[in-house]
């Protein structure tokens, strides 16, 4: 395994909100631990509300973790906080909605020129040459046809390429891509996924690819981390996790994807069913799990190596007595 460019260890984040006059706590991220190896693509997979975007905000410094460690380039985030300008040069984000991510009044040239000036002190002809190179990297060619256009003159796929080009302008080592293809037509998604893979192979960039789509994760990523209610329930090689999912939640994610070539499957449980699991301990998935046992109500399963090679947090694969005690 390659050296990790990013490490998350026991990361936690809780939000507070007022509802009906009462203060409620929402545990968005619970004891999350995983690595992003250098020049690898790791997919963080889960449905809406699983905590994926919160983790992206913690990694990029938009939010602060309540507990745990985030380590980038072998330096804890607390040390990077003293120089966030340098951190943001190395860690960039590609947002889900390219329409909202770009200023409608700024041309493509201006959009890319700002990080070139801010992070690399490039201006004038040097900036123009670098803008041309970056636009060629993201396949917005001929460059002269795109460089002076405004966002409304571009398609969704072209806008996402501009957002990616802006992220590349600072010469980042890590890109966090938060659902970068979910708002694009199916015909364009494969092109953007191919572009992200090229950034890894040709530019040496590491990527954290955040998605709800297990199939695109399998196509693009080296490793998959499956997240449910802020908890990592399964992780491992992308091909193995997608072909042989071990956790019931990962299995349900796979069943929920339309596949006309697969034999008809009757889901054991409705994946959209409201989760009424409380925070009083036990497995976070027990209310929706078709295999829930009595032990799942009180004990918290931890990630352990499974028979197929990936790690899974489930008592179906590990007896309770083999589990370490985990904090709820």
């Amino acid at each position: 395994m390659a050296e990790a460019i990013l490490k998350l260890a026991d990361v936690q984040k809780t939000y507070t909100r007022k509802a009906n006059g009462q203060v409620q706590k929402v545990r968005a991220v619970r004891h999350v631990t995983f690595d992003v190896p250098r020049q690898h693509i790791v997919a963080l997979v889960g449905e809406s509300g699983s905590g994926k975007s919160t983790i992206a905000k913690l990694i990029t410094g938009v939010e602060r973790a309540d507990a745990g460690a985030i380590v980038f380039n072998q330096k804890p985030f607390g040390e990077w906080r003293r120089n966030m300008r340098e951190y943001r040069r190395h860690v960039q984000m590609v947002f889900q909605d390219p329409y909202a991510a770009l200023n409608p009044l700024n041309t493509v040239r201006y959009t890319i020129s700002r990080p070139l000036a801010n992070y690399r002190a490039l201006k004038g002809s040097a900036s123009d040459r670098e803008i041309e190179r970056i636009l060629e990297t993201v396949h917005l060619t001929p460059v002269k046809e795109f460089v002076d256009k405004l966002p409304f003159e571009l398609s969704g796929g072209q806008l996402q390429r501009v957002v990616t080009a802006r992220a590349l302008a600072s010469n980042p080592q890590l890109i966090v891509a938060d659902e970068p293809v979910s708002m694009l037509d199916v015909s364009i998604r494969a092109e953007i996924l191919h572009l992200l893979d090229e950034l890894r192979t040709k530019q040496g960039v590491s990527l954290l690819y955040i998605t709800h789509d297990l199939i695109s994760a399998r196509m693009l990523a080296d490793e998959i981390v499956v997240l449910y209610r802020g908890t990592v329930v399964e992780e491992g090689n992308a091909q193995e996790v997608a072909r042989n999912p071990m956790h019931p939640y990962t299995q349900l994610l796979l069943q929920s994807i339309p596949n006309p070539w697969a034999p008809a499957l009757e889901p054991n449980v409705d994946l959209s069913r409201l989760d009424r699991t409380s925070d009083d301990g036990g497995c976070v998935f027990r209310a929706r799990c078709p295999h829930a046992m009595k032990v799942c109500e009180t004990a918290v399963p931890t990630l352990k190596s499974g028979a197929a090679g990936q790690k899974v947090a489930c008592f179906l694969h590990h007896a309770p007595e083999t589990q370490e005690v985990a904090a709820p």
Side-chain angles (χ1 to χ4, degrees), residues 52-53 56-57 60 88 91-102 138 156-170 172 174-182 184 192-193 195-196 199 205-211:
K52 306 186 304 296
S53 293
K57 292 175 183 177
T60 54
R88 291 193 172 106
V91 181
Q92 285 285 312
M93 189 163 181
V94 173
F95 296 92
Q96 176 180 3
D97 184 356
Y99 299 92
L102 297 172
V138 299
Q158 291 168 345
L159 287 173
Q160 195 60 280
R161 292 175 189 272
V162 174
V163 173
T164 304
R166 181 177 62 184
L168 282 176
S170 66
L174 172 70
I175 289 179
V176 179
D178 189 2
E179 299 274 14
V181 299
S182 65
L184 302 179
I192 299 299
L193 292 176
L195 171 61
L196 294 176
L199 298 184
V205 177
S206 308
L207 285 110
L208 179 63
Y209 172 60
I210 296 174
T211 183

Side-chain angles (χ1 to χ4, degrees), residues 45-62:
V45 180
E47 62 190 331
S48 298
S50 61
K52 306 186 304 296
S53 293
T54 298
I55 289 175
K57 292 175 183 177
L58 296 176
I59 292 170
T60 54
V62 176

Side-chain angles (χ1 to χ4, degrees), residues 11 26 34 79-80 83 97 127 159 245 262 297 299 321 325 327:
V11 172
V26 179
F34 67 86
E79 295 183 23
W80 283 108
N83 188 357
D97 184 356
S127 176
L159 287 173
E297 297 177 7
E321 56 269 20
V325 177

